[in-house]
Amino acid sequence: MRGLLLTNFYLVYRSILAYTGLAILIAGILLYFGGSSMQGIATLLIILLMAMPSLEVIKTESKSDYDKFVLTLPITRSNVVQSHYTFYFCIVIIGAVLSYCIFYVYNNMTETPTDSLFNIVAMGLFVVLVAGSIVYPLLYIFGANKSDAIVLGGGIAGFFARFGFGYIVADLPLSSLKLDLSITIPILFITVGIILYIFSYFIALVIYQKKEF
């Protein structure tokens, strides 16, 4: 498993570095010109851009025929799927930490600090986790040749899921439970995102187990 994760990293580490720089640059531009009104979009873009290289792994494996070679190694197909999902999740978490650090610096350099930083990062995490939940099963079904369209569709679906689930949460009687909503709601979003991601893993595993190369 560790070997697979390292392989995934070395396949796209240049892209990770490039997207990290791009994420910092775009976030800086958005915050400089847009101020507080662009905080949510900046956070989402940071995490999404950081996650993009991990979605390139399957495409890179397909182009190099590594996806066929890896099946000859003393590992199971579940190990392969686990490595993809674990790698994506780790990169997403790194993206969330990066966005938190960027906004922490922004808070200390501006007169209009970020409101509810945890909430903003949680929303970005939810969108990207939902996107990954949709993308991976579809990549295993349709293959890496259609990865660009699948990734774009997954990102759009995650964006709409954030607002859809937001309406559901708004109807919940959370205020009557005397909870701190500034913490409860973000945790709820993150929890649901992780649950969907785990559920997606089992779907992808079934698909990959039946996949023929």
Side-chain angles (χ1 to χ4, degrees):
M1 181 65 174
R2 183 180 299 176
L4 290 174
L5 289 175
L6 287 174
T7 300
N8 291 344
F9 172 75
Y10 284 119
L11 284 173
V12 295
Y13 78 93
R14 291 185 179 88
S15 294
I16 292 175
L17 295 176
Y19 274 104
T20 300
L22 181 62
I24 295 173
L25 176 62
I26 292 178
I29 293 174
L30 289 175
L31 293 174
Y32 180 80
F33 290 103
S36 59
S37 64
M38 300 299 292
Q39 292 170 1
I41 296 176
T43 302
L44 176 59
L45 284 177
I46 292 169
I47 302 175
L48 188 60
L49 287 173
M50 286 295 296
M52 290 299 293
S54 57
L55 295 174
E56 292 179 3
V57 170
I58 293 179
K59 186 176 182 179
T60 305
E61 289 178 346
S62 178
K63 286 183 176 180
S64 63
D65 286 333
Y66 177 80
D67 57 343
K68 300 179 181 65
F69 169 76
V70 73
L71 297 177
T72 66
L73 301 175
I75 57 175
T76 63
R77 291 197 175 202
S78 63
N79 293 142
V80 176
V81 178
Q82 286 174 17
S83 69
H84 290 153
Y85 271 76
T86 303
F87 186 66
Y88 181 84
F89 186 78
C90 290
I91 295 298
V92 168
I93 295 301
I94 292 173
V97 173
L98 176 62
S99 66
Y100 192 93
C101 292
I102 290 175
F103 278 102
Y104 181 80
V105 173
Y106 175 77
N107 282 348
N108 288 277
M109 294 178 62
T110 182
E111 296 179 356
T112 57
T114 303
D115 295 326
S116 188
L117 178 56
F118 180 50
N119 180 70
I120 293 175
V121 174
M123 297 302 121
L125 269 175
F126 176 81
V127 170
V128 179
L129 285 175
V130 171
S133 302
I134 296 171
V135 167
Y136 277 109
L138 292 179
L139 284 177
Y140 289 137
I141 292 174
F142 297 107
N145 293 331
K146 299 180 180 179
S147 61
D148 293 337
I150 292 173
V151 171
L152 178 61
I156 294 173
F159 186 76
F160 280 106
R162 178 257 179 271
F163 291 101
F165 187 63
Y167 284 121
I168 295 174
V169 172
D171 292 333
L172 296 177
L174 297 177
S175 57
S176 62
L177 299 178
K178 296 181 181 180
L179 299 173
D180 186 350
L181 298 184
S182 64
I183 296 177
T184 303
I185 292 178
I187 290 178
L188 186 59
F189 269 86
I190 294 174
T191 301
V192 172
I194 292 175
I195 291 173
L196 291 174
Y197 192 67
I198 294 173
F199 183 68
S200 170
Y201 161 75
F202 289 106
I203 294 175
L205 180 58
V206 172
I207 295 170
Y208 192 73
Q209 293 282 15
K210 297 178 180 180
K211 186 177 179 65
E212 296 182 1
F213 291 87

PDB file of all heavy atoms in Angstrom, residues 8-35:
ATOM      1  N   ASN A   8       2.053   6.679  -6.874  1.00  0.00           N
ATOM      2  CA  ASN A   8       1.086   7.714  -7.256  1.00  0.00           C
ATOM      3  C   ASN A   8       1.701   9.104  -7.124  1.00  0.00           C
ATOM      4  O   ASN A   8       1.505   9.972  -7.985  1.00  0.00           O
ATOM      5  CB  ASN A   8      -0.166   7.618  -6.386  1.00  0.00           C
ATOM      6  CG  ASN A   8      -0.977   6.372  -6.659  1.00  0.00           C
ATOM      7  OD1 ASN A   8      -0.788   5.709  -7.679  1.00  0.00           O
ATOM      8  ND2 ASN A   8      -1.870   6.043  -5.755  1.00  0.00           N
ATOM      9  N   PHE A   9       2.434   9.297  -6.043  1.00  0.00           N
ATOM     10  CA  PHE A   9       3.050  10.600  -5.805  1.00  0.00           C
ATOM     11  C   PHE A   9       4.089  10.920  -6.877  1.00  0.00           C
ATOM     12  O   PHE A   9       4.093  12.024  -7.449  1.00  0.00           O
ATOM     13  CB  PHE A   9       3.696  10.636  -4.421  1.00  0.00           C
ATOM     14  CG  PHE A   9       4.510  11.875  -4.163  1.00  0.00           C
ATOM     15  CD1 PHE A   9       3.889  13.089  -3.902  1.00  0.00           C
ATOM     16  CD2 PHE A   9       5.898  11.830  -4.197  1.00  0.00           C
ATOM     17  CE1 PHE A   9       4.644  14.237  -3.679  1.00  0.00           C
ATOM     18  CE2 PHE A   9       6.651  12.974  -3.972  1.00  0.00           C
ATOM     19  CZ  PHE A   9       6.017  14.170  -3.714  1.00  0.00           C
ATOM     20  N   TYR A  10       4.972   9.963  -7.167  1.00  0.00           N
ATOM     21  CA  TYR A  10       6.032  10.229  -8.139  1.00  0.00           C
ATOM     22  C   TYR A  10       5.502  10.372  -9.558  1.00  0.00           C
ATOM     23  O   TYR A  10       6.131  11.016 -10.397  1.00  0.00           O
ATOM     24  CB  TYR A  10       7.080   9.111  -8.083  1.00  0.00           C
ATOM     25  CG  TYR A  10       7.988   9.222  -6.880  1.00  0.00           C
ATOM     26  CD1 TYR A  10       8.033   8.216  -5.924  1.00  0.00           C
ATOM     27  CD2 TYR A  10       8.789  10.347  -6.697  1.00  0.00           C
ATOM     28  CE1 TYR A  10       8.855   8.326  -4.817  1.00  0.00           C
ATOM     29  CE2 TYR A  10       9.614  10.462  -5.589  1.00  0.00           C
ATOM     30  CZ  TYR A  10       9.645   9.451  -4.652  1.00  0.00           C
ATOM     31  OH  TYR A  10      10.453   9.578  -3.559  1.00  0.00           O
ATOM     32  N   LEU A  11       4.333   9.812  -9.829  1.00  0.00           N
ATOM     33  CA  LEU A  11       3.733   9.970 -11.144  1.00  0.00           C
ATOM     34  C   LEU A  11       3.283  11.405 -11.412  1.00  0.00           C
ATOM     35  O   LEU A  11       3.314  11.866 -12.555  1.00  0.00           O
ATOM     36  CB  LEU A  11       2.529   9.022 -11.301  1.00  0.00           C
ATOM     37  CG  LEU A  11       2.818   7.542 -11.548  1.00  0.00           C
ATOM     38  CD1 LEU A  11       1.528   6.732 -11.509  1.00  0.00           C
ATOM     39  CD2 LEU A  11       3.520   7.335 -12.897  1.00  0.00           C
ATOM     40  N   VAL A  12       2.882  12.086 -10.347  1.00  0.00           N
ATOM     41  CA  VAL A  12       2.291  13.427 -10.546  1.00  0.00           C
ATOM     42  C   VAL A  12       2.900  14.491  -9.643  1.00  0.00           C
ATOM     43  O   VAL A  12       2.317  15.570  -9.490  1.00  0.00           O
ATOM     44  CB  VAL A  12       0.762  13.372 -10.311  1.00  0.00           C
ATOM     45  CG1 VAL A  12       0.073  12.501 -11.343  1.00  0.00           C
ATOM     46  CG2 VAL A  12       0.432  12.884  -8.901  1.00  0.00           C
ATOM     47  N   TYR A  13       4.077  14.246  -9.058  1.00  0.00           N
ATOM     48  CA  TYR A  13       4.592  15.207  -8.084  1.00  0.00           C
ATOM     49  C   TYR A  13       4.902  16.556  -8.724  1.00  0.00           C
ATOM     50  O   TYR A  13       4.764  17.612  -8.086  1.00  0.00           O
ATOM     51  CB  TYR A  13       5.822  14.635  -7.361  1.00  0.00           C
ATOM     52  CG  TYR A  13       7.107  14.677  -8.155  1.00  0.00           C
ATOM     53  CD1 TYR A  13       7.988  15.748  -8.044  1.00  0.00           C
ATOM     54  CD2 TYR A  13       7.451  13.633  -9.019  1.00  0.00           C
ATOM     55  CE1 TYR A  13       9.171  15.787  -8.751  1.00  0.00           C
ATOM     56  CE2 TYR A  13       8.620  13.664  -9.736  1.00  0.00           C
ATOM     57  CZ  TYR A  13       9.482  14.731  -9.603  1.00  0.00           C
ATOM     58  OH  TYR A  13      10.646  14.763 -10.319  1.00  0.00           O
ATOM     59  N   ARG A  14       5.301  16.548  -9.994  1.00  0.00           N
ATOM     60  CA  ARG A  14       5.543  17.827 -10.668  1.00  0.00           C
ATOM     61  C   ARG A  14       4.242  18.623 -10.795  1.00  0.00           C
ATOM     62  O   ARG A  14       4.228  19.846 -10.622  1.00  0.00           O
ATOM     63  CB  ARG A  14       6.154  17.595 -12.048  1.00  0.00           C
ATOM     64  CG  ARG A  14       7.585  17.064 -12.021  1.00  0.00           C
ATOM     65  CD  ARG A  14       8.153  16.982 -13.423  1.00  0.00           C
ATOM     66  NE  ARG A  14       9.525  16.492 -13.434  1.00  0.00           N
ATOM     67  CZ  ARG A  14       9.865  15.210 -13.490  1.00  0.00           C
ATOM     68  NH1 ARG A  14       8.903  14.290 -13.551  1.00  0.00           N
ATOM     69  NH2 ARG A  14      11.122  14.839 -13.487  1.00  0.00           N
ATOM     70  N   SER A  15       3.173  17.907 -11.108  1.00  0.00           N
ATOM     71  CA  SER A  15       1.866  18.571 -11.215  1.00  0.00           C
ATOM     72  C   SER A  15       1.423  19.110  -9.861  1.00  0.00           C
ATOM     73  O   SER A  15       0.815  20.180  -9.777  1.00  0.00           O
ATOM     74  CB  SER A  15       0.813  17.598 -11.756  1.00  0.00           C
ATOM     75  OG  SER A  15       1.095  17.231 -13.085  1.00  0.00           O
ATOM     76  N   ILE A  16       1.718  18.364  -8.792  1.00  0.00           N
ATOM     77  CA  ILE A  16       1.352  18.820  -7.442  1.00  0.00           C
ATOM     78  C   ILE A  16       2.044  20.141  -7.128  1.00  0.00           C
ATOM     79  O   ILE A  16       1.419  21.085  -6.626  1.00  0.00           O
ATOM     80  CB  ILE A  16       1.713  17.751  -6.392  1.00  0.00           C
ATOM     81  CG1 ILE A  16       0.838  16.510  -6.556  1.00  0.00           C
ATOM     82  CG2 ILE A  16       1.564  18.320  -4.974  1.00  0.00           C
ATOM     83  CD1 ILE A  16       1.203  15.369  -5.636  1.00  0.00           C
ATOM     84  N   LEU A  17       3.339  20.224  -7.437  1.00  0.00           N
ATOM     85  CA  LEU A  17       4.080  21.453  -7.179  1.00  0.00           C
ATOM     86  C   LEU A  17       3.540  22.601  -8.031  1.00  0.00           C
ATOM     87  O   LEU A  17       3.383  23.733  -7.550  1.00  0.00           O
ATOM     88  CB  LEU A  17       5.567  21.229  -7.477  1.00  0.00           C
ATOM     89  CG  LEU A  17       6.296  20.231  -6.573  1.00  0.00           C
ATOM     90  CD1 LEU A  17       7.726  20.035  -7.048  1.00  0.00           C
ATOM     91  CD2 LEU A  17       6.278  20.703  -5.123  1.00  0.00           C
ATOM     92  N   ALA A  18       3.237  22.304  -9.303  1.00  0.00           N
ATOM     93  CA  ALA A  18       2.731  23.340 -10.196  1.00  0.00           C
ATOM     94  C   ALA A  18       1.364  23.833  -9.750  1.00  0.00           C
ATOM     95  O   ALA A  18       1.110  25.053  -9.720  1.00  0.00           O
ATOM     96  CB  ALA A  18       2.648  22.794 -11.627  1.00  0.00           C
ATOM     97  N   TYR A  19       0.478  22.917  -9.384  1.00  0.00           N
ATOM     98  CA  TYR A  19      -0.864  23.306  -8.955  1.00  0.00           C
ATOM     99  C   TYR A  19      -0.830  24.028  -7.606  1.00  0.00           C
ATOM    100  O   TYR A  19      -1.680  24.882  -7.341  1.00  0.00           O
ATOM    101  CB  TYR A  19      -1.766  22.077  -8.880  1.00  0.00           C
ATOM    102  CG  TYR A  19      -2.415  21.723 -10.195  1.00  0.00           C
ATOM    103  CD1 TYR A  19      -1.949  20.657 -10.952  1.00  0.00           C
ATOM    104  CD2 TYR A  19      -3.494  22.450 -10.687  1.00  0.00           C
ATOM    105  CE1 TYR A  19      -2.530  20.324 -12.172  1.00  0.00           C
ATOM    106  CE2 TYR A  19      -4.092  22.129 -11.883  1.00  0.00           C
ATOM    107  CZ  TYR A  19      -3.602  21.060 -12.638  1.00  0.00           C
ATOM    108  OH  TYR A  19      -4.190  20.742 -13.840  1.00  0.00           O
ATOM    109  N   THR A  20       0.134  23.674  -6.757  1.00  0.00           N
ATOM    110  CA  THR A  20       0.271  24.372  -5.482  1.00  0.00           C
ATOM    111  C   THR A  20       0.611  25.841  -5.712  1.00  0.00           C
ATOM    112  O   THR A  20       0.002  26.746  -5.120  1.00  0.00           O
ATOM    113  CB  THR A  20       1.358  23.721  -4.609  1.00  0.00           C
ATOM    114  OG1 THR A  20       1.014  22.359  -4.341  1.00  0.00           O
ATOM    115  CG2 THR A  20       1.508  24.464  -3.287  1.00  0.00           C
ATOM    116  N   GLY A  21       1.584  26.072  -6.585  1.00  0.00           N
ATOM    117  CA  GLY A  21       1.938  27.446  -6.919  1.00  0.00           C
ATOM    118  C   GLY A  21       0.788  28.191  -7.571  1.00  0.00           C
ATOM    119  O   GLY A  21       0.532  29.358  -7.257  1.00  0.00           O
ATOM    120  N   LEU A  22       0.077  27.497  -8.473  1.00  0.00           N
ATOM    121  CA  LEU A  22      -1.061  28.126  -9.141  1.00  0.00           C
ATOM    122  C   LEU A  22      -2.168  28.466  -8.155  1.00  0.00           C
ATOM    123  O   LEU A  22      -2.787  29.536  -8.246  1.00  0.00           O
ATOM    124  CB  LEU A  22      -1.592  27.182 -10.227  1.00  0.00           C
ATOM    125  CG  LEU A  22      -2.782  27.688 -11.069  1.00  0.00           C
ATOM    126  CD1 LEU A  22      -2.375  28.934 -11.840  1.00  0.00           C
ATOM    127  CD2 LEU A  22      -3.257  26.594 -12.012  1.00  0.00           C
ATOM    128  N   ALA A  23      -2.425  27.548  -7.206  1.00  0.00           N
ATOM    129  CA  ALA A  23      -3.469  27.770  -6.206  1.00  0.00           C
ATOM    130  C   ALA A  23      -3.149  28.986  -5.343  1.00  0.00           C
ATOM    131  O   ALA A  23      -4.025  29.823  -5.070  1.00  0.00           O
ATOM    132  CB  ALA A  23      -3.629  26.529  -5.328  1.00  0.00           C
ATOM    133  N   ILE A  24      -1.895  29.100  -4.922  1.00  0.00           N
ATOM    134  CA  ILE A  24      -1.490  30.248  -4.100  1.00  0.00           C
ATOM    135  C   ILE A  24      -1.618  31.545  -4.891  1.00  0.00           C
ATOM    136  O   ILE A  24      -2.101  32.573  -4.384  1.00  0.00           O
ATOM    137  CB  ILE A  24      -0.051  30.059  -3.591  1.00  0.00           C
ATOM    138  CG1 ILE A  24       0.018  28.857  -2.639  1.00  0.00           C
ATOM    139  CG2 ILE A  24       0.455  31.316  -2.898  1.00  0.00           C
ATOM    140  CD1 ILE A  24       1.428  28.493  -2.218  1.00  0.00           C
ATOM    141  N   LEU A  25      -1.204  31.508  -6.160  1.00  0.00           N
ATOM    142  CA  LEU A  25      -1.263  32.702  -7.008  1.00  0.00           C
ATOM    143  C   LEU A  25      -2.700  33.158  -7.228  1.00  0.00           C
ATOM    144  O   LEU A  25      -3.029  34.337  -7.044  1.00  0.00           O
ATOM    145  CB  LEU A  25      -0.593  32.421  -8.354  1.00  0.00           C
ATOM    146  CG  LEU A  25      -0.661  33.543  -9.397  1.00  0.00           C
ATOM    147  CD1 LEU A  25       0.063  34.783  -8.875  1.00  0.00           C
ATOM    148  CD2 LEU A  25      -0.071  33.081 -10.721  1.00  0.00           C
ATOM    149  N   ILE A  26      -3.573  32.208  -7.612  1.00  0.00           N
ATOM    150  CA  ILE A  26      -4.972  32.565  -7.890  1.00  0.00           C
ATOM    151  C   ILE A  26      -5.671  33.047  -6.620  1.00  0.00           C
ATOM    152  O   ILE A  26      -6.429  34.027  -6.649  1.00  0.00           O
ATOM    153  CB  ILE A  26      -5.718  31.360  -8.489  1.00  0.00           C
ATOM    154  CG1 ILE A  26      -5.178  31.065  -9.889  1.00  0.00           C
ATOM    155  CG2 ILE A  26      -7.227  31.626  -8.550  1.00  0.00           C
ATOM    156  CD1 ILE A  26      -5.813  29.864 -10.546  1.00  0.00           C
ATOM    157  N   ALA A  27      -5.413  32.359  -5.506  1.00  0.00           N
ATOM    158  CA  ALA A  27      -6.032  32.776  -4.241  1.00  0.00           C
ATOM    159  C   ALA A  27      -5.588  34.182  -3.866  1.00  0.00           C
ATOM    160  O   ALA A  27      -6.401  35.008  -3.418  1.00  0.00           O
ATOM    161  CB  ALA A  27      -5.664  31.787  -3.136  1.00  0.00           C
ATOM    162  N   GLY A  28      -4.299  34.476  -4.060  1.00  0.00           N
ATOM    163  CA  GLY A  28      -3.793  35.806  -3.743  1.00  0.00           C
ATOM    164  C   GLY A  28      -4.447  36.885  -4.602  1.00  0.00           C
ATOM    165  O   GLY A  28      -4.817  37.946  -4.101  1.00  0.00           O
ATOM    166  N   ILE A  29      -4.611  36.586  -5.894  1.00  0.00           N
ATOM    167  CA  ILE A  29      -5.242  37.559  -6.803  1.00  0.00           C
ATOM    168  C   ILE A  29      -6.703  37.792  -6.427  1.00  0.00           C
ATOM    169  O   ILE A  29      -7.183  38.922  -6.378  1.00  0.00           O
ATOM    170  CB  ILE A  29      -5.134  37.062  -8.260  1.00  0.00           C
ATOM    171  CG1 ILE A  29      -3.671  37.067  -8.715  1.00  0.00           C
ATOM    172  CG2 ILE A  29      -5.981  37.937  -9.189  1.00  0.00           C
ATOM    173  CD1 ILE A  29      -3.455  36.452 -10.075  1.00  0.00           C
ATOM    174  N   LEU A  30      -7.425  36.687  -6.161  1.00  0.00           N
ATOM    175  CA  LEU A  30      -8.836  36.808  -5.807  1.00  0.00           C
ATOM    176  C   LEU A  30      -9.031  37.594  -4.521  1.00  0.00           C
ATOM    177  O   LEU A  30      -9.914  38.460  -4.429  1.00  0.00           O
ATOM    178  CB  LEU A  30      -9.459  35.419  -5.667  1.00  0.00           C
ATOM    179  CG  LEU A  30      -9.666  34.614  -6.958  1.00  0.00           C
ATOM    180  CD1 LEU A  30     -10.175  33.217  -6.633  1.00  0.00           C
ATOM    181  CD2 LEU A  30     -10.645  35.335  -7.875  1.00  0.00           C
ATOM    182  N   LEU A  31      -8.213  37.307  -3.527  1.00  0.00           N
ATOM    183  CA  LEU A  31      -8.349  37.996  -2.251  1.00  0.00           C
ATOM    184  C   LEU A  31      -7.909  39.451  -2.341  1.00  0.00           C
ATOM    185  O   LEU A  31      -8.469  40.327  -1.669  1.00  0.00           O
ATOM    186  CB  LEU A  31      -7.539  37.260  -1.175  1.00  0.00           C
ATOM    187  CG  LEU A  31      -8.050  35.873  -0.794  1.00  0.00           C
ATOM    188  CD1 LEU A  31      -7.087  35.201   0.170  1.00  0.00           C
ATOM    189  CD2 LEU A  31      -9.440  35.959  -0.182  1.00  0.00           C
ATOM    190  N   TYR A  32      -6.912  39.720  -3.179  1.00  0.00           N
ATOM    191  CA  TYR A  32      -6.407  41.094  -3.300  1.00  0.00           C
ATOM    192  C   TYR A  32      -7.436  41.988  -3.975  1.00  0.00           C
ATOM    193  O   TYR A  32      -7.688  43.118  -3.532  1.00  0.00           O
ATOM    194  CB  TYR A  32      -5.094  41.093  -4.089  1.00  0.00           C
ATOM    195  CG  TYR A  32      -4.500  42.472  -4.254  1.00  0.00           C
ATOM    196  CD1 TYR A  32      -3.769  43.058  -3.215  1.00  0.00           C
ATOM    197  CD2 TYR A  32      -4.654  43.178  -5.441  1.00  0.00           C
ATOM    198  CE1 TYR A  32      -3.217  44.315  -3.360  1.00  0.00           C
ATOM    199  CE2 TYR A  32      -4.104  44.443  -5.597  1.00  0.00           C
ATOM    200  CZ  TYR A  32      -3.387  45.015  -4.554  1.00  0.00           C
ATOM    201  OH  TYR A  32      -2.844  46.265  -4.701  1.00  0.00           O
ATOM    202  N   PHE A  33      -8.039  41.478  -5.069  1.00  0.00           N
ATOM    203  CA  PHE A  33      -8.985  42.302  -5.819  1.00  0.00           C
ATOM    204  C   PHE A  33     -10.428  42.128  -5.348  1.00  0.00           C
ATOM    205  O   PHE A  33     -11.220  43.065  -5.442  1.00  0.00           O
ATOM    206  CB  PHE A  33      -8.902  41.965  -7.314  1.00  0.00           C
ATOM    207  CG  PHE A  33      -7.625  42.412  -7.968  1.00  0.00           C
ATOM    208  CD1 PHE A  33      -6.623  41.497  -8.243  1.00  0.00           C
ATOM    209  CD2 PHE A  33      -7.423  43.737  -8.292  1.00  0.00           C
ATOM    210  CE1 PHE A  33      -5.438  41.900  -8.840  1.00  0.00           C
ATOM    211  CE2 PHE A  33      -6.239  44.161  -8.896  1.00  0.00           C
ATOM    212  CZ  PHE A  33      -5.244  43.233  -9.170  1.00  0.00           C
ATOM    213  N   GLY A  34     -10.770  40.948  -4.852  1.00  0.00           N
ATOM    214  CA  GLY A  34     -12.150  40.696  -4.461  1.00  0.00           C
ATOM    215  C   GLY A  34     -12.433  40.850  -2.992  1.00  0.00           C
ATOM    216  O   GLY A  34     -13.588  41.017  -2.589  1.00  0.00           O
ATOM    217  N   GLY A  35     -11.393  40.766  -2.167  1.00  0.00           N
ATOM    218  CA  GLY A  35     -11.581  40.911  -0.734  1.00  0.00           C
ATOM    219  C   GLY A  35     -12.411  39.785  -0.141  1.00  0.00           C
ATOM    220  O   GLY A  35     -12.397  38.643  -0.611  1.00  0.00           O
TER     221      GLY A  35
END
